[in-house]
Amino acid sequence: MSSVAVLTPESFAEHRSGLKDQEITGCVPEDEAYIPTYLEAFPPLPEKGAPGEKAGEPVSAWGSRIRPIKASVITQVFHVPLEERRYKDNSQFGEGEEAKVCLDIMQRTGAHIELSLAKDQGLSIMVTGKLDSVMKARKEIVARLQTQASATVAIPKEHHRFVIGKNGEKLQELELKTATKIAIPRPDDPSANIRITGTKEGIEKARHEILLISAEQDKRAVERLSLEKAFHPFIAGAHNRLVQELSQETGARISIPPPSLPKDEIVITGEKEAVALALNRIRAIYDDKKRKTTTISVEVKKSQHKYIIGPKGNTLQEILETTGVSVEMPPLDSSSETIILRGEPDKLGPALTQVYAKAKSVMVVEVTAPAWLHRFIIGKKGQNIGRITQQLPRVHIEFTDGEERISLEGPTEEVEQAQTQIQEIIKDLLVRMDYTEVIIDQRFHRHLIGKNGANINRIKEQYKVSVRIPQDSERSGLVRIEGDPKGVQLARRELIEMVQRMENERTKDLIVEQKFHRTIIGQKGEKIKEVRDKFPEVIINFPDPAQKSDIVQLRGPKNEVEKCAKFLQKIIADLIENSFSLSVPIFKQFHKNIIGKGGANIKKIREETNTKIDLPTENSNSEMIVITGKKSNCEAARDRILAIQRELANIKETEVTIPAKLHNSLIGSKGCLVRSIMEDCGGVHIHFPSEGSGSDKVTIRGPAGEVEKAKKQLLQLAEEKQVNNFTAELQAKPEYHKFLIGRGGANIRRVRDRTGARIIFPSPDDTEQELITIVGKEEAVRQAQKELESLVKNLDDVVEDSMVVDIRHHRHFVCRRGQVLRELAEEYGGVAVSFPRTGTNSQRVTLKGAKDCVEAAKKRIQEIIEDLESQVSVEVAIPQRYHRAIMGPKGCRIQHITREHEVQIKFPERDDGASVLTLTGQEAPPQENGEVSPDAEFVPRKCDIITISGRAEKCELAKAALLALVPITEDVEVSYELHRYIIGQKGSGIRKMMEEYEVNIWVPQPEKQLDVIKVTGLVANVERAKLGLLERVKELQAEQEDRALRSFKVTMSVDPKFHPKIIGRKGAVISQIRKDHDVSIQFPDKGDEQQVCDLIVISGYERNVEEARQAIQLLVAELQEMVSQEVHLDPRTHARIIGARGKAIRKLMEEFKVDIRFPQPGSDEPDKVTVMGLPETVDNAIDHLLNLEEEYVSSQCRKSHTHFQVSAYQTFCMCLFQAPDMSSAEDFPTFGTGVALKQTSVWGPKKF
């Protein structure tokens, strides 16, 4: 890092006076913030008239006496070489991480930062601001934009404090100056190494400064030698080897300032003899080099300087090592191109040759290419350029955004190859690529893009093009399309068509209450997706929930928008209709019954009434069940829920007639009066009719006795309102309310009994927590108000008292975060009870509050102490493995026992490593059922002992309750064959039993084939589960027996020709037999050759099977009596006899109880019809068929005579001799189908 920008003005006179007669050199003050003025850096030439004037003399007589004033704002410029840049993505310059980092640093430090990219790809940074801000910004820039290295420097431990300075000021200053992080070991750390982290240049500076500080504090000799900076490389040697050798030979520490530090002072520290020896050696080297060396200057292009310097200056060190010549380079931020070579004359030539060789080892070439082609040249994810850089890794390729050129930099041969490859890519792209630009109004851009880019991605994929739509911030309408020429034109046409469509669209706003938006959209947008699929051309926009807007916007073609609006309005109307809400008060203890096991009851009501039913949470005090849906459905659901409540308890409902004008006064302010009656009467529900209904009926619902009590109080209150409706209000602090009410309401009951007034305290939900309402006759209200005011006044008079409490009882009051003290404060008007601090050995307890409250609290504390003194501790030995089960989920079971029996229960610490031992010292076998194994005697361990504290009788009750919670395991004898039926499909059966009985049921593995099932749980639950399991076993055994009875089988032989008749049309006959006799009947498969073709198998109960067999035998006997006769009928009559869809022939077969078969189309005997049935029925059917044929033929003859005007002879001939038309569908109809004849007949209209 180098260079300081000269922008801070300085006093000319002060500088001149400070120089005196000394020669001006490159030395500057140690503080880098000091910046020379223009006149200091570039002094004016001496004027002709003053040849003898000295450079150090002041210009004026008063110039030296005036103290200069430095400007408050300074500017520093420094350079980050390419190889040390942390972010090297040149394509994103100004927009990448470097810009973001600089913006963050500006906000944190208040300094102004400007970045610029040098030709060598190094980073030039200009920082402007106050000195402190610039230093901080510079430190952060170096840490975050420049690659970091680390190094250590060892100085004596006693010198560390001088590096840190007073309050760490010196260390902070050093870190700011060098832009590094310096880590100094702690005083208790024996290490003397100081770690420096930062850039290579910053590390060198910091190391130099630390060594200087150490040298100054070192008691040994210190020599400072000022030598020209240009000769420092000869003293240090290539790669600092010479100075290291000097230090090793002499034993002195030699500190040479780094090239980037504008100091010429070399510091030597060590023993006096060593320092003197090193000083002489350095002077000798300096004198020798000054005498022998000369310089030459050469001009080399600035862009080639970095190749001469090399990575981290290694090339300069190589030249110095091989030729002994020092190469002095101008600063990177300087525009100078002059390079100075210093060395012995005979070595300057080879050094110059190396300099030129290094400068020309790299060439820079520019390739011209249209800017829009750059990204195609780079390729997707840099594939094209990646191939070139992999083949030619030493070539650097740079694309300049917005410029039609590509820069290539690297070795000459490789650059030429890369240039050829890039030119071929450009040539190929220009042949097959094209672009076009379209001006599209910016308001259409987001619609062109579509949701999540759907539209634009489709166009890109379909036409294989790239479409660039400007950002909203650009405020540009220029859309650019690039890609295949044909695809570009097609994409352009589609975009224009989309814009034209959007210009012809209309927008409509629907007013929809925001509460319905989520319902219309549906879970994960499923419902609104259905609407959008139905109207794909309409865009539906819902407002953001944070806007609380009711406007839903529709946009699309006019007709589609109207249809979509009507559809949505219908949905909204349904939602409004279904949003009717009804609240039903149901006693809390019945909520679980309304829900049912696994939610069965509530699910059934919801499904059958099509309503939404919401119950309050278990932790809520609310008893209201909210029903939402259509009004009629809500009322039906309410009736069903109330019916469940009535079935479960002795719930009575009664109506009281009270004038509607009194309803509001009876309800009271925010319902306080009616709520007080409901609380007094065991939580009955009192329902007043809605305001404006005009009804006088008030409904009271609850337990029979409480309903009567509430009815009496309500009528009494109504009477009081009618006779003397007087109300008074009283203010009292909320913490006094419990004391005024008293334990169990004793205090307030006495006031009510004496005065006859009703006193109503606010509920926890009321906003006015201090307001007490008194209702009744004026005289009674006044008296009650007076008594309450007196009590409140006494409570306001704060007194302080004390009492003695034994120290051993203190913990009971203050444990659990002072829960007992909080309860005392709540119950006794906020009285403050203070116990002495632990360790003071004081027994004095202070009470502060209202006098009556203090006295009551003292009395209560005394009662608690008496209870504590009478407490005993009982130990219960329960194996530790059962403790978790006893506690229950979140300790709920233990909490219930402690509350119910007023005891404290303490569980021991868990001991996972201990094992149960027998009296003989051997490990005991596992225990079951919570009892000692018969093979070993249970020895309680410390971790098995549970301690119960409380009154003796209550401890015993709690002990029994704990023992009852110990889970037991019992075996149930169940046949192995039944196990899979008990488990059920996917474990559903056994899971249901475990949930129902709250136990764990273990079924052995199938391969073990054990006839036992283990049931684990509480004693009562295990007994219930055993009974349930045995009941299930009985059911399964009964099912097995039933299956065995149903498996009785009989086979019977029946001629296959009768099988179709037994089966019947579409299986009607056999299905009826199966249904009548509850059997299974199987016929042989037609395609199975191995199966006997005449056997019929009947299975079922033995009796049923026998009956079915007899029914089939009877059917077969009837079939065997049947005969089959053939009759020849004119084929033209077949269709008429069959009728439309066989309706006529079916009717005929049912009438005569026969089966009639007509010949198939194409048969050799088309007029042969077969009739099967009993002999007498067959004859009757044949006669009927012949009659039908005769009627048909005669009707055909009459029809011909009527419609044709011919002679009698011709008619006679036509009737007798005219041959039928064989191709006519009328004369020869297809079997089973009708033909539409043109003429009518005596048989009536034709029905086909």
Side-chain angles (χ1 to χ4, degrees), residues 1086-1098:
K1086 291 181 180 179
D1088 193 350
E1089 296 178 356
Q1090 297 179 356
Q1091 195 172 10
V1092 181
C1093 62
D1094 63 345
L1095 288 182
I1096 298 175
V1097 181
I1098 309 170

Side-chain angles (χ1 to χ4, degrees), residues 794-813:
N794 291 338
L795 292 174
D796 286 336
D797 295 335
V798 177
V799 297
E800 188 171 328
D801 200 354
S802 63
M803 63 184 295
V804 175
V805 177
D806 197 316
I807 292 175
R808 69 177 187 273
H809 300 315
H810 288 194
R811 188 175 180 279
H812 174 77
F813 290 93

Side-chain angles (χ1 to χ4, degrees), residues 1158-1166 1231:
F1158 285 83
Q1160 295 293 330
S1163 175
D1164 295 336
E1165 296 179 292
F1231 179 74

